Amino acid sequence: MTKLVYFAWVRERIGKPDEDLDLPASVVTVGDLLTHLATLGEEYENALQYPDVIRVAINQEHVEHDEPIAGAREIGLFPPMTGG
Amino acid sequence: MTKLVYFAWVRERIGKPDEDLDLPASVVTVGDLLTHLATLGEEYENALQYPDVIRVAINQEHVEHDEPIAGAREIGLFPPMTGG
Amino acid sequence: MQPITPTIRVEADDFDLQAEIDALTAGRTDIGAVVSFSGLCRGEKGTLSALELEHYPGMAEAEMTRIAELAIERFSLMGLTAIHRFGKIEPGENIVLVIACSPHRQAAFDGANFVMDFLKTSAPFWKKEHAADGSPRDWVSAKDADDKAQEKWL
Amino acid sequence: MQPITPTIRVEADDFDLQAEIDALTAGRTDIGAVVSFSGLCRGEKGTLSALELEHYPGMAEAEMTRIAELAIERFSLMGLTAIHRFGKIEPGENIVLVIACSPHRQAAFDGANFVMDFLKTSAPFWKKEHAADGSPRDWVSAKDADDKAQEKWL
């Protein structure tokens, strides 16, 4: 099981702040994960329709979309940051 | 009569904070003034021995050494500034 | 010289700038320059009633610490504080505070500026606008200008 | 938009940073960024007992006002305060304060930085060092680095 956490409009569109998911073995990279999640329902499809803009953190550190997710305890998905 | 005011080590070397002087007609520019003052005694010579480093203000505004002093009510002489 | 540990906080409450500067400088005589940056919520000519600041707990602090340590190393800072608020913030209120201390002024300016630029693009915070007229709330879009501002340090 | 009048003071007493920022920002919702610079007297590893700050009364205020107005114009600032102390100042004490307010962060950083760079080279202040061991007091020499810092704005 991998913990997924969502923020800002990704959280709003998916409709929950976090969840634990069993990911299929075919999901190797962050990019694979985004493609996989978009198949889980309309709300996921809506949240992830432009995967290029989705920022991802593995174990609370920023990663690129080609990063393998092996060893991830927690994966965060969110829009570009707008703090400060 | 022109009021001269001195600051920092220029003031210390000349030995007074200010004075009113009658300047000869031959003193046209700031550079002429520095040359003239250096003839007024050892303390002036000592203060102004390196005229290039002396900063000058006419009526409380910075001027270059080639500036005419005509119309000056107050002329300030001082070393490069070290505030801030 | 002992390593400098930044002060990093993510909190709902407002901060006290003077108290934070005092905490960095009290009893020290080796600091010659202190630069503070306060980021405030703008009212956008009366159209905004508040901002709602969301963050990624844990990662927000970790990312701010990482940025702060980069700045301390790069500009040889003698002290650094970064505080970011979350929750509802009204126009005129503080959002973020960065303080950098150094023997010399340019390093203090650069340190605070660097932290703000990286914080904008890398620290996991998101702003949602509450419109004064009650119209649907929108998430603030990330600005290209912020990415460009960060790139000046690369 | 009404013209911005800078707050300029030359005084013996210490200043209160928070009070000065409050005076610039109170009741306003159009300021998004406030940058403050505080310059402090360094103790030079215990060798300095105090600095004596001399200034040219009248011209000091006039020159600071001129620099402040240049910065307001150049960076479209919404508020600017510059305060310079004179007299005897001990290690750890404040010497100078500059605060710049703007809608956006880079203008606030640049405004405060610009004022400091020009103040260093153009405002008529001079520092004399009082050595801790009582040896003869020396006037601080002007630094080439300060002239270079000013040149970055030309």
Side-chain angles (χ1 to χ4, degrees):
Chain A
M1 297 284 272
T2 305
K3 184 178 189 184
L4 293 172
V5 292
Y6 311 122
F7 295 97
W9 54 253
V10 174
R11 171 181 55 73
E12 286 183 340
R13 290 180 191 176
I14 290 177
K16 54 186 107 172
D18 58 76
E19 62 188 318
D20 291 302
L21 284 182
D22 263 324
L23 299 173
S26 60
V27 173
V28 176
T29 67
V30 165
D32 297 340
L33 172 67
L34 296 176
T35 306
H36 170 71
L37 289 173
T39 66
L40 297 187
E42 202 178 338
E43 61 274 34
Y44 291 92
E45 200 182 330
N46 182 28
L48 306 174
Q49 60 184 320
Y50 303 109
D52 286 356
V53 308
I54 304 295
R55 305 296 178 95
V56 181
I58 293 182
N59 302 339
Q60 306 198 348
E61 288 188 20
H62 293 293
V63 294
E64 300 296 328
H65 286 195
D66 59 1
E67 184 82 9
I69 63 165
R73 297 179 306 277
E74 179 177 299
I75 303 180
L77 271 59
F78 40 80
M81 281 73 67
T82 56
Chain B
M1 297 284 272
T2 305
K3 183 177 189 185
L4 293 173
V5 292
Y6 310 122
F7 295 96
W9 53 253
V10 174
R11 171 181 56 71
E12 286 184 340
R13 291 180 191 175
I14 290 177
K16 54 186 108 172
D18 58 75
E19 62 187 319
D20 291 302
L21 283 183
D22 263 324
L23 299 173
S26 61
V27 172
V28 175
T29 66
V30 165
D32 297 340
L33 173 67
L34 295 177
T35 306
H36 171 69
L37 289 173
T39 67
L40 297 187
E42 202 178 338
E43 60 274 35
Y44 290 92
E45 199 184 331
N46 182 28
L48 306 173
Q49 61 183 319
Y50 302 110
D52 286 356
V53 308
I54 304 295
R55 305 297 179 96
V56 180
I58 293 182
N59 302 340
Q60 306 197 350
E61 287 188 22
H62 292 294
V63 294
E64 300 295 329
H65 285 196
D66 59 2
E67 184 82 8
I69 64 165
R73 296 179 306 278
E74 178 177 300
I75 303 179
L77 270 60
F78 40 80
M81 282 73 69
T82 55
Chain C
M1 209 170 76
Q2 59 196 16
I4 304 297
T5 305
T7 297
I8 304 295
R9 294 207 307 274
V10 177
E11 58 192 22
D13 290 341
D14 197 7
F15 45 79
D16 179 333
L17 171 61
Q18 188 71 59
E20 298 302 333
I21 289 183
D22 290 348
L24 289 172
T25 59
R28 298 188 68 157
T29 59
D30 53 351
I31 292 172
V34 180
V35 169
S36 81
F37 174 88
S38 311
L40 285 74
C41 175
R42 280 180 286 131
E44 310 300 353
K45 299 179 181 171
T47 62
L48 186 86
S49 71
L51 286 175
E52 185 85 30
L53 265 288
E54 180 170 333
H55 73 293
Y56 188 160
M59 182 174 170
E61 292 85 344
E63 196 63 16
M64 288 169 67
T65 301
R66 188 184 68 80
I67 295 166
E69 288 173 345
L70 281 176
I72 289 168
E73 169 81 14
R74 177 159 175 172
F75 302 104
S76 303
L77 301 178
M78 296 187 133
L80 185 70
T81 293
I83 300 173
H84 204 302
R85 295 179 66 196
F86 63 83
K88 198 170 174 181
I89 295 176
E90 296 185 356
E93 281 193 78
N94 289 312
I95 299 172
V96 61
L97 173 67
V98 173
I99 306 168
C101 302
S102 160
H104 304 291
R105 72 184 183 285
Q106 193 57 47
F109 272 114
D110 286 345
N113 199 343
F114 175 99
V115 169
M116 276 308 302
D117 281 347
F118 279 77
L119 202 149
K120 281 257 173 191
T121 53
S122 300
F125 291 87
W126 301 272
K127 291 192 186 100
K128 188 177 206 175
E129 295 182 334
H130 292 222
D133 64 4
S135 61
R137 301 162 180 183
D138 257 340
W139 291 95
V140 172
S141 296
K143 294 191 194 75
D144 284 348
D146 288 330
D147 288 332
K148 290 219 169 58
Q150 185 190 318
E151 284 165 12
K152 74 173 180 266
W153 304 103
L154 301 181
Chain D
M1 210 169 77
Q2 57 197 16
I4 304 299
T5 305
T7 298
I8 304 294
R9 294 207 308 274
V10 177
E11 58 192 23
D13 290 341
D14 197 8
F15 46 79
D16 179 333
L17 170 61
Q18 188 70 59
E20 298 302 333
I21 289 183
D22 290 347
L24 289 171
T25 60
R28 298 189 66 156
T29 60
D30 54 350
I31 292 172
V34 179
V35 169
S36 81
F37 174 89
S38 311
L40 286 74
C41 175
R42 281 180 285 129
E44 309 299 354
K45 298 179 182 171
T47 62
L48 186 86
S49 71
L51 286 175
E52 185 86 29
L53 265 290
E54 180 170 335
H55 73 294
Y56 187 160
M59 182 173 170
E61 291 86 344
E63 195 62 17
M64 287 168 68
T65 301
R66 189 184 67 81
I67 294 165
E69 288 173 346
L70 280 177
I72 289 168
E73 168 80 15
R74 178 160 175 170
F75 303 105
S76 303
L77 301 178
M78 298 188 130
L80 185 70
T81 293
I83 300 173
H84 204 302
R85 295 179 66 195
F86 62 84
K88 198 169 173 183
I89 296 177
E90 296 186 357
E93 281 192 78
N94 289 312
I95 299 172
V96 61
L97 174 67
V98 173
I99 306 169
C101 302
S102 160
H104 304 291
R105 71 185 185 285
Q106 194 57 47
F109 273 115
D110 286 344
N113 200 343
F114 175 99
V115 169
M116 277 308 302
D117 281 348
F118 279 78
L119 204 149
K120 281 256 173 192
T121 53
S122 300
F125 291 87
W126 301 272
K127 290 193 186 100
K128 188 176 207 175
E129 296 182 334
H130 292 222
D133 64 4
S135 59
R137 301 164 181 183
D138 256 340
W139 291 96
V140 172
S141 296
K143 293 193 196 72
D144 285 346
D146 288 329
D147 288 331
K148 289 218 169 60
Q150 186 190 317
E151 284 164 14
K152 74 173 179 267
W153 305 103
L154 303 180

